[in-house]
Amino acid sequence: MSEKETTAVTMKKRGQFKDIRRRFAKNKGAILGLGFIVILVVCALIPSVIAPYGFDDQQLSRRFQSPSWNHLFGTDEYGRDIFSRVVYGCRISLTLGLVSVTISCVLGIILGCISGYYGKVVDNVIMRIIDIMLSIPNILLAVSIVAALGTSFFNLMLAIGIGAVPGYARVVRASILSVKEQEYIEAARSNGASDWRIITRHIIPNCMAPIIVQATMSIASAVLSAAGMSFIGLGIMPPTPEWGSMLASGRAYIRDYWYVVTFPGLAIMLTVFSINLLGDGLRDALDPRLKS
Amino acid sequence: MSDKILEIKDLVVHYITDKTTVKAVNGISLSLERGESLGLVGETGAGKTTTALSVMQLIPDPPGKIMSGEILYEGQDLVSMEPTQKREIRGNHISMIFQDPMTALNPVLSVGDQIAEVVRLHQKISRAQASIKAQEMLELVGIPGERYAEYPHQFSGGMKQRVVIAIALACNPKLLIADEPTTALDVTIQDQVLDLIEKLMREFGTSLLLITHDLGVVAEICQKAAIMYAGEIVEYGTLKHIYEKTAHPYTVGLFGSVPNLTVDVDRLNPIKGLMPDPTDLPIGCPFAPRCPDVMPRCVASPVPVTEVESGHYVKCVKFLRSEAER
């Protein structure tokens, strides 16, 4: 009995994980994305080992040096090493992107599920609130949240996260509306499943594709909105290196010293790109229907 | 209590929208005994599926509404039951096989997990035990247990219907409702699936409410049959009553439209006309406009049910005994 028990469970586990891994490994783009993200995570974990200088080592005598072996990405207006600042910035920007996206994802999925599944009055109330939120410009919403709660890193992430909730709620609601009419949902109900179980086990897994796409896309906009917030002084305070604020402060010198904005910009772009690749790969690998 | 597992009394189900009211089921009564199988036959729109969904208490509300009547399962009224009690009964005591196996399985869960889920919903056992039970169910319906971790799209239609049957029977329900279980399958697979349902019914002592438009299927696995027309049961009795002592003109018409292998005919003999509009049913017999034996009495007022012989009920003016009733 126990032997059979273990075989049944391991068979199932191995079957699923092996398949997902195999399908993921086949996707070259996803592997590339994963590789770059691993590098970023390493940078975020041990920046002091990788960066040759500190993030706030100022030396005015070597300001605006162009990229060389000493300063890979050059130096900025205070003579700080841009490469080191980009490496240190990893931690802030990655945390910011992931946490704010998680906040908006979770809130958006909850709201979207409730309004899509229960419909009627609940749906109307939630969607009208969402409409109101959509009518407020994102940056204004974030500014008011930070202004109300006070300037801190967490409040910044919260503000950016809340601003992105309406997008998720609408995407989730739309896909739930189509999934909940499927016969297997009725079948699950005929088997005695509760609403909670139907939502978590049958509906959400079937709506994952648009959610993953939305999540990977919005990490980028989260990093950029944080830059905007830093720019008006409600976000990350200098000298903390954050890619968005590095872009904002280097903006004034873009005409003469291209490298001041290029490298932080490239970092954002590559991060977003690799997260998108990873997200696409995950979506395909997790969808059993695409198994070949 | 008697040995009746399911008793429907005067069930009326309407679908109410702003503009119209669709009278889907109009006062049907039937009963099903333990271990017995009943075929519910009728053409599209006769209210068969609505009846089945009422028993499961899964009528989409709105627009559907059970206007009156009782559905007794082992003497308890399902209509007035608490939602938690209903959930306890669904899947555990009464379960349902859906018409189209292609869409009745969740595409992102492995078939084994879907069977194990029902078991875990109703029995307090561990995940591992549930997956063993699921494997056993798979083997029982003739699918190797190794295919536990495979997904619905990797199975053929007939195999999927087997999985659906395995899910339905995983908790040994006392009553199985099969809503056209073979309609989406081809004839050879139909036969296999029916044999399987019959075999499992005998093994578990399950009662069956089989919904179909195929009189042949009913003849194969049912003991009793009820013929539905426009939300009413027009004839109800044992197979012998229905097939050999056919009474109601509609049932006669149904048999007339089935091809006969022994007689050479050029054309089938369909019932002329269409089913009445369920939003605007006539006062009298709904079949009167198409009936070959129509009498003035048919359209005048509702027709009562007559028991023409023990256990054989017909709802037709022709069989009313006293002149007074006519």
Side-chain angles (χ1 to χ4, degrees):
Chain A
M1 183 73 180
S2 71
E3 193 188 326
K4 204 178 169 190
E5 215 166 275
T6 28
T7 25
V9 175
T10 47
M11 186 179 70
K12 181 178 113 194
K13 289 243 164 76
R14 194 182 46 205
Q16 284 178 359
F17 283 121
K18 216 169 107 188
D19 281 336
I20 290 172
R21 224 176 39 216
R22 193 174 47 83
R23 272 175 281 155
F24 188 79
K26 259 198 212 161
N27 188 337
K28 301 242 162 34
I31 293 292
L32 189 76
L34 184 68
F36 191 72
I37 287 169
V38 167
I39 296 173
L40 288 176
V41 169
V42 170
C43 288
L45 291 176
I46 44 166
S48 51
V49 178
I50 296 165
Y53 303 89
F55 63 84
D56 53 356
D57 286 353
Q58 297 187 20
Q59 203 175 331
L60 287 175
S61 62
R62 55 165 204 230
R63 65 200 289 255
F64 295 127
Q65 285 187 9
S66 46
S68 65
W69 281 117
N70 265 340
H71 299 285
L72 271 183
F73 293 174
T75 57
D76 66 4
E77 73 270 31
Y78 297 112
R80 295 175 298 197
D81 179 47
I82 294 178
F83 176 70
S84 305
R85 282 179 66 76
V86 167
V87 169
Y88 276 99
C90 252
R91 181 179 288 177
I92 308 282
S93 295
L94 273 190
T95 319
L96 193 134
L98 293 178
V99 173
S100 63
V101 163
T102 310
I103 292 172
S104 50
C105 219
V106 169
L107 287 178
I109 288 176
I110 293 173
L111 286 177
C113 280
I114 295 173
S115 90
Y117 187 80
Y118 292 101
K120 297 184 228 170
V121 184
V122 191
D123 179 33
N124 240 321
V125 171
I126 293 180
M127 289 325 282
R128 293 303 76 78
I129 294 174
I130 296 286
D131 285 345
I132 293 172
M133 283 179 76
L134 278 174
S135 70
I136 305 169
N138 245 337
I139 194 84
L140 198 62
L141 188 67
V143 166
S144 28
I145 293 171
V146 172
L149 299 177
T151 318
S152 79
F153 187 41
F154 181 76
N155 288 345
L156 175 68
M157 296 190 292
L158 194 68
I160 293 169
I162 289 175
V165 166
Y168 285 96
R170 292 179 79 102
V171 166
V172 172
R173 173 178 174 272
S175 46
I176 282 183
L177 284 182
S178 70
V179 170
K180 81 165 181 182
E181 298 301 327
Q182 299 289 319
E183 203 166 35
Y184 54 80
I185 301 299
E186 196 177 10
R189 203 169 287 135
S190 83
N191 289 331
S194 58
D195 284 354
W196 168 253
R197 202 177 172 85
I198 288 174
I199 293 176
T200 53
R201 214 167 138 72
H202 294 276
I203 294 185
I204 292 182
N206 274 297
C207 307
M208 271 333 266
I211 297 176
I212 290 178
V213 171
Q214 174 85 6
T216 48
M217 303 283 254
S218 57
I219 286 182
S221 55
V223 172
L224 293 176
S225 346
M229 296 292 286
S230 309
F231 187 68
I232 53 176
L234 289 173
I236 313 291
M237 290 298 149
T240 316
E242 195 272 326
W243 297 339
S245 56
M246 287 166 73
L247 269 186
S249 63
R251 205 176 42 106
Y253 314 105
I254 189 167
R255 195 165 157 186
D256 302 313
Y257 313 107
W258 56 274
Y259 40 85
V260 180
V261 288
T262 305
F263 291 106
L266 266 180
I268 295 177
M269 197 202 86
L270 284 175
T271 308
V272 171
F273 181 58
S274 53
I275 289 174
N276 283 349
L277 283 179
L278 182 74
D280 277 0
L282 272 182
R283 187 198 57 202
D284 293 349
L286 291 173
D287 189 346
R289 279 164 296 193
L290 295 172
K291 199 183 265 183
S292 52
Chain B
M1 245 355 259
S2 67
D3 221 22
K4 280 178 183 154
I5 190 152
L6 178 75
E7 197 172 5
I8 301 178
K9 288 182 187 165
D10 284 319
L11 180 72
V12 179
V13 185
H14 289 177
Y15 291 105
I16 302 166
T17 60
D18 289 344
K19 285 183 198 140
T20 54
T21 301
V22 176
K23 293 169 181 152
V25 173
N26 305 303
I28 68 162
S29 301
L30 52 85
S31 68
L32 188 59
E33 281 169 28
R34 212 171 286 279
E36 197 180 46
S37 55
L38 170 73
L40 200 54
V41 188
E43 55 191 293
T44 309
K48 302 176 307 252
T49 303
T50 303
T51 308
L53 290 177
S54 313
V55 177
M56 294 303 290
Q57 289 293 303
L58 285 176
I59 295 280
D61 178 17
K65 200 161 172 31
I66 295 180
M67 305 301 285
S68 62
E70 285 179 326
I71 301 170
L72 303 177
Y73 169 74
E74 292 190 322
Q76 295 167 279
D77 188 12
L78 290 168
V79 180
S80 56
M81 211 174 253
E82 291 294 310
T84 44
Q85 269 178 301
K86 285 181 188 169
R87 277 214 300 274
E88 180 49 40
I89 284 187
R90 280 179 211 146
N92 201 11
H93 293 266
I94 307 179
S95 57
M96 185 155 174
I97 298 175
F98 285 86
Q99 183 169 353
D100 188 357
M102 309 297 165
T103 56
L105 293 171
N106 188 338
V108 301
L109 288 180
S110 73
V111 293
D113 281 350
Q114 295 191 48
I115 303 174
E117 184 181 2
V118 193
V119 180
R120 270 168 60 77
L121 276 173
H122 295 294
Q123 297 170 12
K124 286 196 167 56
I125 58 173
S126 74
R127 203 172 279 270
Q129 280 171 313
S131 51
I132 290 175
K133 172 82 185 163
Q135 251 177 312
E136 284 167 5
M137 285 311 297
L138 276 179
E139 307 242 334
L140 198 65
V141 296
I143 297 173
E146 296 88 69
R147 303 194 64 177
Y148 183 98
E150 290 186 16
Y151 290 88
H153 70 274
Q154 291 163 300
F155 289 81
S156 70
M159 297 279 253
K160 277 186 208 168
Q161 193 60 296
R162 283 160 190 267
V163 174
V164 173
I165 292 172
I167 292 175
L169 292 177
C171 290
N172 298 354
K174 296 194 183 109
L175 172 62
L176 179 66
I177 300 174
D179 186 0
E180 313 210 9
T182 55
T183 308
L185 308 172
D186 63 47
V187 184
T188 41
I189 307 298
Q190 263 186 26
D191 192 48
Q192 287 175 16
V193 167
L194 288 177
D195 282 350
L196 178 70
I197 294 179
E198 209 181 357
K199 185 188 116 200
L200 296 177
M201 268 178 60
R202 251 185 280 117
E203 228 164 273
F204 293 123
T206 312
S207 311
L208 174 71
L209 179 62
L210 177 77
I211 293 168
T212 179
H213 51 240
D214 189 339
L215 285 161
V217 171
V218 174
E220 200 167 330
I221 62 173
C222 294
Q223 285 126 32
K224 277 191 186 172
I227 312 291
M228 273 191 94
Y229 184 78
E232 292 177 10
I233 290 180
V234 293
E235 187 166 2
Y236 174 54
T238 61
L239 282 196
K240 202 167 180 189
H241 292 144
I242 304 284
Y243 285 74
E244 287 170 23
K245 299 181 181 167
T246 316
H248 197 281
Y250 177 62
T251 321
V252 175
L254 278 185
F255 282 113
S257 57
V258 176
N260 191 329
L261 288 179
T262 53
V263 187
D264 188 22
V265 286
D266 289 333
R267 290 181 73 99
L268 288 173
N269 197 4
I271 308 175
K272 289 198 171 56
L274 288 170
M275 193 133 63
D277 179 0
T279 60
D280 184 25
L281 289 175
I283 314 164
C285 173
F287 187 60
R290 302 168 76 182
C291 185
D293 308 330
V294 62
M295 292 180 247
R297 163 67 182 84
C298 296
V299 288
S301 61
V303 184
V305 178
T306 325
E307 187 168 11
V308 287
E309 58 194 299
S310 175
H312 186 188
Y313 300 88
V314 182
K315 200 170 189 175
C316 181
V317 174
K318 271 171 43 180
F319 298 90
L320 292 180
R321 250 172 251 115
S322 62
E323 283 298 319
E325 279 179 309
R326 299 193 186 187

